[in-house]
Amino acid sequence: MKLLTTIVHSSIHNIDRRILNRRSVRAVIMQGGQILLMYSARHNDYSLPGGTVERGEDLIAALRRELLEETGAYEVHVEQYLGYVDEYRPSPRAKFDVMFLRSYCYQCHIKADLSAAQLNPREIANGLQAVWIDLAQAIAHNEKMIISSSDKLGISIQRETWLLKYIQATI
């Protein structure tokens, strides 16, 4: 296991508090000079496909499930484990002070044709869609969003933009 980076939300000054622990998986899928990302119309940003690991679920099984749900990718080959990102953010649940999220990142290959995505109601409301895009273009777009909307943005765009830059530098 390799720690890639740790991101702490600006409102978190002490992580020695009541912590909600979560795990997630993220997929890096490159094809023909482009990367498969999720575009959110609501947030106007790009992120790696992936999501929450359910209780008792294996990381690779969660990765395959999330890719099928979000992108329609049904034939997923995990090529290599890249590492994980840790982040601390305000908890969405009142009985916790801090949410700790560990995102495990994998480089994958998928079959070129995708079936229909199986988005949940929240993802549909956010206008989530899978898109193939030039990596540098996605980074530039997210960075523009960070600069122009810094007071309104959550920590997710910071994580995703950091990961996209890491991918650009290492893959």
Side-chain angles (χ1 to χ4, degrees):
M1 299 288 185
K2 175 183 169 185
L3 174 64
L4 301 175
T5 193
T6 299
I7 301 170
V8 181
H9 188 275
S10 61
S11 70
I12 305 296
H13 304 293
N14 179 2
I15 59 173
D16 187 24
R17 299 165 66 185
R18 300 174 302 163
I19 297 179
L20 170 63
N21 289 292
R22 292 242 171 110
R23 297 183 309 155
S24 69
V25 287
R26 309 269 176 241
V28 176
I29 303 168
M30 304 291 294
Q31 193 169 18
Q34 295 195 317
I35 187 168
L36 181 62
L37 296 176
M38 302 307 298
Y39 174 74
S40 168
R42 177 180 178 204
H43 301 291
N44 190 21
D45 67 355
Y46 293 98
S47 61
L48 294 170
T52 302
V53 178
E54 303 296 334
R55 180 170 287 152
E57 190 175 29
D58 173 78
L59 293 174
I60 301 302
L63 184 69
R64 288 190 169 114
R65 175 184 53 75
E66 286 288 344
L67 285 171
L68 179 62
E69 290 172 2
E70 290 187 350
T71 70
Y74 56 91
E75 197 171 306
V76 178
H77 303 283
V78 178
E79 295 177 344
Q80 74 175 31
Y81 171 69
L82 299 173
Y84 63 91
V85 173
D86 285 347
E87 62 187 274
Y88 296 88
R89 58 170 68 184
S91 175
R93 295 190 187 163
K95 68 180 184 175
F96 296 98
D97 301 312
V98 176
M99 183 174 86
F100 169 75
L101 176 65
R102 177 164 286 170
S103 297
Y104 298 90
C105 303
Y106 296 88
Q107 185 174 358
C108 301
H109 178 76
I110 61 171
K111 190 172 180 179
D113 57 327
L114 302 173
S115 63
Q118 303 163 20
L119 300 175
N120 66 41
R122 181 184 55 82
E123 292 167 334
I124 292 169
N126 285 338
L128 203 64
Q129 63 179 334
V131 295
W132 289 100
I133 186 170
D134 177 78
L135 179 57
Q137 182 182 347
I139 292 169
H141 178 87
N142 278 8
E143 286 180 327
K144 180 180 174 186
M145 290 305 302
I146 290 169
I147 291 167
S148 66
S149 306
S150 61
D151 58 329
K152 300 173 196 154
L153 295 175
I155 195 171
S156 298
I157 193 169
Q158 293 173 18
R159 176 194 64 231
E160 296 299 324
T161 306
W162 188 95
L163 281 167
L164 293 175
K165 288 179 178 181
Y166 175 80
I167 293 161
Q168 187 179 48
T170 60
I171 295 179

